[in-house]
Amino acid sequence: MWIWEQEHWPDFQWDEHALKPMLRKIHFHQGLLLGKSDVESTEQATLDTLLASILYSCEIEGEKLNAASVRSSLANRLGISEVKPYPTSEQSEGMAEIALDVVERYNEPLTLKRILKWHELMFPTGYTVFNPIKGGQLRYGGMEVISGRIDKPIVHFEAPPAEKLQDELAKFIAWFNQSRDVFNLDPILRAAIVHLWFVTLHPMEDGNGRITRFLTDLVLAQGESRSIRFYAMSVSICECRKQYYEILEQTQRGGLDITDWMVWFLQTLNSTLVAKLKQIEGTVKKTRFWRRVDQSQLSQEQVKVLNRMLDGDFQQGINSSQYQKVAKVSRATATRHLNHLAAFGCLEKTEAGGRSTRYIVHHI
């Protein structure tokens, strides 16, 4: 029996007491992120976040998009000038339109027409020759998620039959719009429910996971209005996609208590926020570093290596051999450059000496 076959579907239950500690962490980190968001240009941060969200969400499904094409489509819609604009495609334009619809029209109610429009934009005519997907349509047949050999397939999940989709989607959309005003339903828990519910319905022939994650972003945007522009949960989901599919399968094979799914979702969202806060902290440190260092006193190779180190590479320090490879200079030049950077106050030696000598960034 699948979860959607349960007698009281979709009356989900969960242990709120078990979720409260993680919810407190998430709200704390959301507040920190919103407070630090002025470090980055809003438009540029939005572009970078939406680009990551689109690319990683597609990668979860095993699809690789042209990053430069998607970036140009987003930049055009955000009014950002690019030094070297890249040719866009119908698909990149469509994905950019969906992503902007999520963050700019989050206050508008969800409708089936809006979901089907997203699907149409995701699968433009001629999207693929070998397996053409008709965009903007609900599936007509059954839907199974399978793997393994053709003669011995493993069924991971079976979605509700096509004849039930209209009623099921009507319930989902009605709940989606009404639940926003439910005072005692935390917006983060609402996002976890929306994610599980829609991906379980699996109403399209293809693209269900991507639309699910767009809907999740829409709920998060409704819950906090602004900071969703600064982080992409799809990145964290992609990094642990094996666990993602495992917890979905476990939940969809179970009863209506979805506490385990909620825990996984909250932990993944919190990891996303923590990673973004670390990135901002790194940006602040990098900015402070270059404010006190006169780049005109350094060679191009030295600046290149320092930027790599400030971006998080060589966290255990860099030695002369590594410097030589990155800067593409001789070993003697590498040693001279490192000594100069240490004397100039950019780097400092670690305690290990001799051949184990390493240099780390000197922050003030």
Side-chain angles (χ1 to χ4, degrees):
M1 180 178 288
W2 303 107
I3 190 172
W4 54 268
E5 294 177 301
Q6 297 288 337
E7 182 181 357
H8 298 292
W9 160 266
D11 184 15
F12 300 112
Q13 308 294 320
W14 58 88
D15 182 352
E16 196 156 334
H17 180 74
L19 303 177
K20 280 184 178 179
M22 187 58 68
L23 279 172
R24 283 195 292 270
K25 286 184 181 180
I26 290 173
H27 290 306
F28 175 72
H29 289 141
Q30 282 179 324
L32 280 181
L33 181 57
L34 197 54
K36 294 183 177 183
S37 59
D38 59 352
V39 171
E40 302 179 296
S41 159
T42 301
E43 286 185 344
Q44 189 62 50
T46 300
L47 189 156
D48 292 340
T49 299
L50 297 185
L51 177 63
S53 184
I54 291 170
L55 295 180
Y56 281 91
S57 186
C58 290
E59 190 173 327
I60 292 168
E61 311 300 328
E63 181 176 7
K64 298 277 188 181
L65 296 185
N66 186 308
S69 182
V70 177
R71 185 179 185 86
S72 287
S73 291
L74 287 167
N76 291 339
R77 291 176 182 277
L78 289 167
I80 298 176
S81 299
E82 291 192 293
V83 178
K84 293 182 179 179
Y86 194 89
T88 61
S89 66
E90 196 172 356
Q91 186 187 20
S92 71
E93 288 290 310
M95 296 299 284
E97 185 173 338
I98 301 169
L100 266 295
D101 183 72
V102 168
V103 296
E104 292 181 346
R105 298 175 56 216
Y106 61 85
N107 270 325
E108 296 186 18
L110 182 66
T111 62
L112 179 56
K113 182 179 179 181
R114 189 177 181 185
I115 294 173
L116 293 177
K117 179 62 177 178
W118 288 358
H119 192 253
E120 184 180 4
L121 291 167
M122 196 176 291
F123 296 100
T125 303
Y127 166 74
T128 173
V129 176
F130 299 105
N131 185 25
I133 303 296
K134 292 184 178 180
Q137 295 184 14
L138 300 179
R139 58 180 165 84
Y140 294 106
M143 172 65 71
E144 289 183 336
V145 178
I146 61 174
S147 68
R149 290 164 43 181
I150 296 177
D151 58 330
K152 290 185 178 180
I154 300 171
V155 179
H156 298 281
F157 173 65
E158 182 180 345
E163 56 268 23
K164 287 190 173 184
L165 286 180
Q166 289 287 350
D167 288 342
E168 291 286 351
L169 283 168
K171 290 178 188 176
F172 169 79
I173 291 169
W175 183 89
F176 185 103
N177 292 322
Q178 294 164 5
S179 61
R180 187 177 178 186
D181 299 320
V182 175
F183 177 75
N184 61 350
L185 178 61
D186 189 287
I188 306 301
L189 300 185
R190 178 170 171 254
I193 294 169
V194 163
H195 194 115
L196 175 66
W197 192 342
F198 190 84
V199 81
T200 298
L201 295 182
H202 237 71
M204 315 297 184
E205 188 178 348
D206 196 4
N208 295 283
R210 279 159 278 181
I211 291 179
T212 294
R213 290 182 285 278
F214 276 126
L215 286 170
T216 304
D217 286 343
L218 178 59
V219 178
L220 292 172
Q222 290 177 342
E224 50 178 302
S225 300
R226 185 172 172 221
S227 63
I228 184 66
R229 293 172 178 265
F230 298 96
Y231 66 89
M233 190 177 178
S234 289
V235 176
S236 296
I237 294 176
C238 187
E239 288 173 351
C240 51
R241 73 181 114 183
K242 183 173 182 289
Q243 296 94 322
Y244 173 57
Y245 287 127
E246 285 174 352
I247 188 64
L248 279 178
E249 181 176 352
Q250 174 189 318
T251 306
Q252 289 166 334
R253 286 181 178 275
L256 293 170
D257 187 323
I258 59 171
T259 303
D260 288 346
W261 160 254
M262 292 280 208
V263 168
W264 188 91
F265 184 93
L266 267 58
Q267 288 174 340
T268 305
L269 176 56
N270 190 58
S271 297
T272 305
L273 295 167
V274 169
K276 182 60 184 181
L277 286 166
K278 286 182 179 178
Q279 181 186 334
I280 291 176
E281 183 182 351
T283 300
V284 171
K285 282 186 176 181
K286 187 174 181 179
T287 302
R288 287 174 180 166
F289 178 89
W290 286 120
R291 278 178 183 167
R292 71 175 177 83
V293 173
D294 183 1
Q295 288 193 39
S296 65
Q297 302 299 310
L298 305 177
S299 69
Q300 288 183 351
E301 294 84 2
Q302 288 172 320
V303 171
K304 176 184 178 181
V305 171
L306 284 171
N307 275 321
R308 285 278 301 273
M309 297 179 74
L310 289 165
D311 287 337
D313 292 349
F314 310 107
Q315 293 187 9
Q316 304 303 315
I318 192 170
N319 58 30
S320 59
S321 177
Q322 291 169 322
Y323 186 100
Q324 182 184 356
K325 291 177 182 177
V326 174
K328 293 181 173 56
V329 296
S330 68
R331 192 173 186 87
T333 301
T335 301
R336 188 172 66 253
H337 279 194
L338 286 167
N339 287 332
H340 174 253
L341 289 171
F344 202 59
C346 297
L347 298 179
E348 55 184 309
K349 286 185 181 181
T350 60
E351 292 182 2
R355 292 185 177 181
S356 300
T357 299
R358 288 183 175 273
Y359 296 80
I360 59 174
V361 175
H362 177 60
H363 288 289
I364 295 178

